Amino acid sequence: MAGGGSQFSVWEALAGRAPGQPLGPADPGLWAAVAERVNPTKARPQLRDGIERADLVSVRGVAYVMLRSPDHGNGRKGTAPCYLRLAPEEVALAELMDGTRTLARLVADFARISGQLAPDRVRRIVADLAGNRMLEELPVDAFKPLDRVRRAPWPLRLGRAMLAFAQGRRMIVANIDPVLSFAYRAGGRLLFTRPVAVLLATVALVGLGAFGWLWWGGEHSVFLNGQSYLTGAALLLGLNVLALACHEIGHGLAAKHAGRRVPVAGFLVYFGIPSVFVDTTDVWMGGRRARIRTTVAGPAAGLVLAGTSAIVGVVNPALAPWCFKLAFAWYVNALFNLNPFLALDGYYLVMDWLEVPNLRARGLAWVAARLRRRPPRWRSLDREGRLVALYGLLSMAWLVIAVNIAYRVYVDRVSGLVVGLWRTGLLAQLVVVAVVAALSSPMIYLLGTWLNRHRRRWADRRRERRDANDLPRRENALRHSSLGELSPNALADLAARATWVHPRPGEQLIAARQPVPAV
């Protein structure tokens, strides 16, 4: 509708335009092509070539299929592969995506395959395939080249690095798959044979007894090196990194035993503690047994090496102080990772054993719901639900126990180290401050995330109130337009569809308009 006099179009009223202000050229052919392109029912998805498939069976005897995208990036060059778990009938539907069938046709094909008319499920399958880089039309990051051209100033880069430190993000260093492949062929595969496994288990048990002998003897200190707490703490930190490296090598060799790739390795900070990692995500293509073996291999390597170090310390007293510290680092690392109530190896081991996804989040959510007296109750849960609820209850019990243990360990062992370091000098005091800041960084990050989330909610509520206060002005503009003959309810509905964007200084007020039905 063209505006004349005091009458102008509904789009001009919604956008706050002056009467008769030109709206710009229109190209119906272009917009028809765009509408055709973005129409979901007319989309023609097509699978990428080279997708790997593994047919597996769950612990409950249910068949499923794991898919791996045809990406081979090592995290720095190229894109890392994605993995997707689908039911057999969903994979059968995905195999029909050859670029000739529309989404509407795929809904009919899925009804023929599964006997169900489920358009929502078909859309979810297509979305999962697209999100995991398994369709031909891949998303493009248009801003990435701009980030490369325009380098951020160093204060911003430093802030981002500190945020990554607090979040525990991974810092990729190298492609370690060739090294692990060579180590596996050079003798690492023997570690997974039955005779060698029995021998290593014996060494671990005997070594545990030897470490107990050294511990109860009380002749060796964990935190002291000579008479210095500073060098003792630095030595213990270095031994901890060595223990973590051996732990991750165990994971990597187990993944190679399953015939899978280990593309990257690097560093990260977990709860303020420097750590290392290897990427064993590809073991998902090997099935449940391969995942369990890969998860167990890390702590098992630590227990065997700790036992070996303790035995050497008992046999050779001259090496006992070093062996005691090294065994202590390996034991702490192994036991810490085997804890099923932290998002580490023990948790993933339980989750793979039970094959219950998101066990921790679901268990804690159930406990929180029951504390608020919300359903479901224990008696109304099925077998999997009770496993989830039991894990949530045990997690809360462990939290209470862990706080007590942490307090006792601090009073009995760590407080002396902190006092000794603080009295050593300025350098040692800086080390104490850095360690405390590192250990508290995850909690600071979580607190900052919580505050930022509430800030966004407050801003959203403020914007909603501002829009509600501006609604009468928009209704008045519509009454003076060519749609003034509409009912008051229709005018209020049209006015509410304009989402107003406040301009910068010198810019014109515009509105992001939502589609308006024909009136």
Side-chain angles (χ1 to χ4, degrees):
M1 290 179 293
S6 63
Q7 303 291 317
F8 53 100
S9 73
V10 61
W11 297 115
E12 292 172 342
L14 291 177
R17 287 181 177 275
Q21 185 173 347
L23 301 177
D27 187 350
L30 172 63
W31 291 113
V34 171
E36 173 91 8
R37 186 69 170 174
V38 301
N39 189 346
T41 60
K42 296 184 179 181
R44 301 175 185 270
Q46 181 179 355
L47 282 182
R48 296 175 65 187
D49 295 330
I51 294 178
E52 184 180 354
R53 169 176 174 169
D55 295 274
L56 305 169
V57 179
S58 71
V59 67
R60 297 170 182 81
V62 178
Y64 67 96
V65 180
M66 287 297 303
L67 300 180
R68 180 183 186 274
S69 67
D71 298 302
H72 300 284
N74 60 8
R76 294 184 302 173
K77 299 178 181 179
T79 303
C82 299
Y83 302 86
L84 181 62
R85 174 173 173 167
L86 295 176
E89 63 272 15
E90 295 174 339
V91 175
L93 176 68
E95 292 175 344
L96 297 177
M97 299 179 187
D98 55 1
T100 63
R101 294 174 171 85
T102 63
L103 188 61
R105 171 68 182 277
L106 291 173
V107 171
D109 290 334
F110 189 70
R112 174 179 53 82
I113 294 172
S114 64
Q116 300 176 356
L117 184 61
D120 292 339
R121 188 177 178 186
V122 173
R123 286 196 295 267
R124 193 264 303 167
I125 295 171
V126 174
D128 287 344
L129 290 170
N132 287 279
R133 302 181 59 83
M134 295 183 187
L135 295 182
E136 282 293 345
E137 295 186 358
L138 298 178
V140 177
D141 188 356
F143 296 96
K144 190 173 183 180
L146 297 177
D147 292 338
R148 293 176 179 175
V149 173
R150 181 182 178 183
R151 191 179 184 186
W154 72 266
L156 183 58
R157 297 199 305 271
L158 178 61
R160 291 175 179 175
M162 295 179 65
L163 180 61
F165 178 86
Q167 290 176 309
R169 295 180 189 171
R170 296 180 173 186
M171 294 171 283
I172 296 173
V173 175
N175 179 10
I176 200 175
D177 191 71
V179 178
L180 288 176
S181 298
F182 174 78
Y184 181 78
R185 293 192 301 268
R189 60 177 178 268
L190 298 177
L191 300 174
F192 300 92
T193 60
R194 187 178 297 273
V196 176
V198 172
L199 175 62
L200 294 178
T202 303
V203 170
L205 291 174
V206 174
L208 184 61
F211 180 78
W213 175 269
L214 293 174
W215 180 276
W216 291 110
E219 299 179 1
H220 309 291
S221 173
V222 175
F223 303 111
L224 271 175
N225 183 35
Q227 298 298 322
S228 173
Y229 280 103
L230 180 60
T231 58
L235 177 61
L236 189 62
L237 182 62
L239 294 177
N240 179 66
V241 175
L242 175 62
L244 290 169
C246 296
H247 174 100
E248 295 299 321
I249 289 174
H251 286 315
L253 290 176
K256 299 306 299 182
H257 183 70
R260 308 311 308 176
R261 296 180 68 250
V262 185
V264 296
F267 296 97
L268 75 156
V269 177
Y270 190 79
F271 281 100
I273 302 173
S275 182
V276 296
F277 76 93
V278 295
D279 188 353
T280 59
T281 310
D282 200 46
V283 80
W284 272 96
M285 302 297 294
R288 174 173 172 266
R289 180 175 296 182
R291 295 199 307 270
I292 292 177
R293 185 189 297 114
T294 302
T295 303
V296 171
L303 292 175
V304 171
L305 292 173
T308 304
S309 180
I311 292 173
V312 172
V314 171
V315 173
N316 190 345
L319 298 177
W322 289 85
C323 291
F324 179 76
K325 289 182 173 61
L326 187 56
F328 177 82
W330 266 318
Y331 278 128
V332 168
N333 175 264
L335 296 178
F336 190 72
N337 276 276
L338 285 174
N339 188 336
F341 304 110
L342 296 174
L344 296 172
D345 293 337
Y347 167 69
Y348 293 110
L349 180 62
V350 172
M351 197 162 56
D352 285 333
W353 176 46
L354 299 175
E355 281 203 332
V356 177
N358 299 323
L359 181 61
R360 187 164 178 260
R362 292 166 62 190
L364 295 178
W366 182 85
V367 172
R370 292 309 302 148
L371 291 176
R372 298 172 185 173
R373 298 185 179 275
R374 296 179 180 176
R377 296 186 177 183
W378 177 273
R379 287 175 292 182
S380 62
L381 296 173
D382 57 7
R383 180 178 179 274
E384 180 175 325
R386 292 188 176 185
L387 288 174
V388 171
L390 178 61
Y391 180 87
L393 292 173
L394 292 177
S395 297
M396 298 303 296
W398 160 250
L399 180 61
V400 176
I401 297 173
V403 171
N404 183 55
I405 293 176
Y407 174 75
R408 295 309 310 170
V409 169
Y410 175 80
V411 172
D412 296 341
R413 297 284 179 176
V414 181
S415 60
L417 172 64
V418 174
V419 174
L421 282 174
W422 193 260
R423 294 178 179 177
T424 301
L426 178 61
L427 180 60
Q429 292 174 359
L430 293 176
V431 170
V432 172
V433 172
V435 170
V436 172
L439 292 175
S440 59
S441 61
M443 299 303 300
I444 295 175
Y445 172 72
L446 292 176
L447 178 61
T449 303
W450 181 82
L451 291 175
N452 188 45
R453 183 169 62 250
H454 281 267
R455 180 192 63 81
R456 289 198 301 267
R457 290 178 180 175
W458 176 81
D460 291 341
R461 287 195 296 266
R462 181 184 177 188
R463 183 165 53 252
E464 291 173 359
R465 288 195 300 267
R466 185 173 62 242
D467 292 343
N469 294 333
D470 190 56
L471 184 60
R473 188 188 67 83
R474 281 177 275 170
E475 290 183 3
N476 184 61
L478 287 172
R479 289 191 183 96
H480 291 82
S481 70
S482 58
L483 295 181
E485 66 274 6
L486 291 178
S487 65
N489 291 336
L491 288 176
D493 180 66
L494 289 175
R497 290 176 180 272
T499 303
W500 294 90
V501 181
H502 284 265
R504 298 176 182 176
E507 292 184 354
Q508 183 184 3
L509 181 65
I510 62 173
R513 296 182 297 269
Q514 301 180 10
V516 179
V519 292

